[in-house]
Amino acid sequence: MPEASPRGTYLLIADALRKAIEEGRLKDSALPSEAALMQTHDVSRNTIRRALKTLESERLITPVPGAGWRVSRRPIPPLVERLTAVITEDSLVVGDRYPSERHLCERFGMSRTAVRHALAQMEGTGLLATVHGKGRTVRALPTSLDET
């Protein structure tokens, strides 16, 4: 990666790998080796490992001892989609308080890092607003995925 990102280089790499997984571009469900990913993205092994751990915490990939990383067999919808669905499932409306990180970690069995990453994506798309010290509120309602 030629430039530093305020968002975190490892998150950008995780996003690129997530997209490749979702689009089915990974051959035989195996991820490239850490060394290949380091060369592709021009980053350190630690950065690659943080990206891989992020995807592991989202249950998109699993480590295979001696063989690297593989795409999980049963695809689980991306966490951001499941967190977006909370708005509808919990009948939240614009202005309502969104559940806390701790509650979401317990509800979905995910790490705080994975939950925070998905919440940041939701804030970026305008679904949530954060007020420091007061938590998150619903800023907009999600559009139905079934609409075409």
Side-chain angles (χ1 to χ4, degrees):
M1 299 240 131
E3 296 179 23
S5 164
R7 186 161 174 243
T9 303
Y10 78 99
L11 291 174
L12 296 175
I13 294 168
D15 285 344
L17 290 171
R18 186 180 302 104
K19 185 175 181 181
I21 290 167
E22 290 169 359
E23 293 175 355
R25 289 187 278 132
L26 293 172
K27 212 180 224 184
D28 300 324
S29 77
L31 270 65
S33 68
E34 289 181 8
L37 290 169
M38 287 168 51
Q39 188 172 30
T40 299
H41 297 284
D42 193 27
V43 295
S44 71
R45 184 173 302 276
N46 284 340
T47 301
I48 294 300
R49 286 186 175 162
R50 284 183 77 186
L52 294 172
K53 286 294 186 184
T54 298
L55 296 178
E56 180 184 24
S57 73
E58 295 174 12
R59 299 182 182 164
L60 291 175
I61 63 172
T62 55
V64 179
W69 293 87
R70 302 268 185 247
V71 176
S72 297
R73 289 194 176 164
R74 288 188 321 241
I76 298 169
L79 183 57
V80 71
E81 286 181 21
R82 291 184 284 155
L83 293 183
T84 300
V86 166
I87 295 172
T88 306
E89 292 167 3
D90 293 1
S91 302
L92 301 176
V93 296
V94 174
D96 282 354
R97 224 179 124 95
Y98 192 78
S100 68
E101 289 177 7
R102 184 179 64 80
H103 176 78
L104 295 168
C105 290
E106 291 171 5
R107 183 171 175 173
F108 293 100
M110 301 299 254
S111 71
R112 183 163 247 152
T113 300
V115 168
R116 282 184 177 166
H117 175 71
L119 290 170
Q121 286 180 292
M122 292 173 70
E123 289 171 5
T125 59
L127 288 174
L128 299 178
T130 301
V131 177
H132 185 67
K134 298 200 183 219
R136 292 176 177 86
T137 58
V138 177
R139 186 173 174 199
L141 298 178
T143 56
S144 174
L145 298 175
D146 297 330
E147 293 175 5
T148 51

